[in-house]
């Protein structure tokens, strides 16, 4: 419906609160959420790096895990 389309457009255009997003992730899904975010981003700007750093912090992921994941996917390390 048009109402649904308008709602989705509004949600997609709103800035993401990374802390709230990280806190909404169910326990046990932290690594998968970070991996999906990394896969969806072409890590080539400072805001993208800041998002991933904030996400990792909010998900309580350690730097070593994140760096290994970045290396596995050919993404620059940021930790």
């Amino acid at each position: 419906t048009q109402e649904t389309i308008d709602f989705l457009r509004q949600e997609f255009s709103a800035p993401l609160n990374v802390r709230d997003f990280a806190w909404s992730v169910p326990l046990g899904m932290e690594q998968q959420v970070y991996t999906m975010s990394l896969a969806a981003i072409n890590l080539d700007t400072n805001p993208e790096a800041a998002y991933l750093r904030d996400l990792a912090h909010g998900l309580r992921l350690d730097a070593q895990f994140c760096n290994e994941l970045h290396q596995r996917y050919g993404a620059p390390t940021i930790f």
Side-chain angles (χ1 to χ4, degrees):
T1 68
Q2 187 61 46
E3 183 179 337
T4 301
I5 292 169
D6 292 342
F7 171 78
L8 290 174
R9 284 186 177 148
Q10 181 179 356
E11 288 298 308
F12 289 141
S13 67
L16 176 68
N17 183 315
V18 179
R19 185 181 86 177
D20 289 345
F21 174 62
W23 288 359
S24 74
V25 172
L27 292 177
M29 297 293 297
E30 298 88 356
Q31 292 181 0
Q32 292 88 339
V33 168
Y34 187 88
T35 301
M36 292 305 297
S37 287
L38 179 61
I41 291 174
N42 183 11
L43 185 51
D44 59 355
T45 67
N46 286 334
E48 292 167 339
Y51 162 77
L52 287 173
R53 278 193 300 272
D54 291 347
L55 182 62
H57 178 75
L59 295 173
R60 298 167 305 281
L61 297 175
D62 66 38
Q64 181 180 348
F65 166 79
C66 292
N67 282 335
E68 289 172 2
L69 191 62
H70 283 239
Q71 290 172 354
R72 185 178 324 147
Y73 286 94
T77 56
I78 58 174
F79 299 95

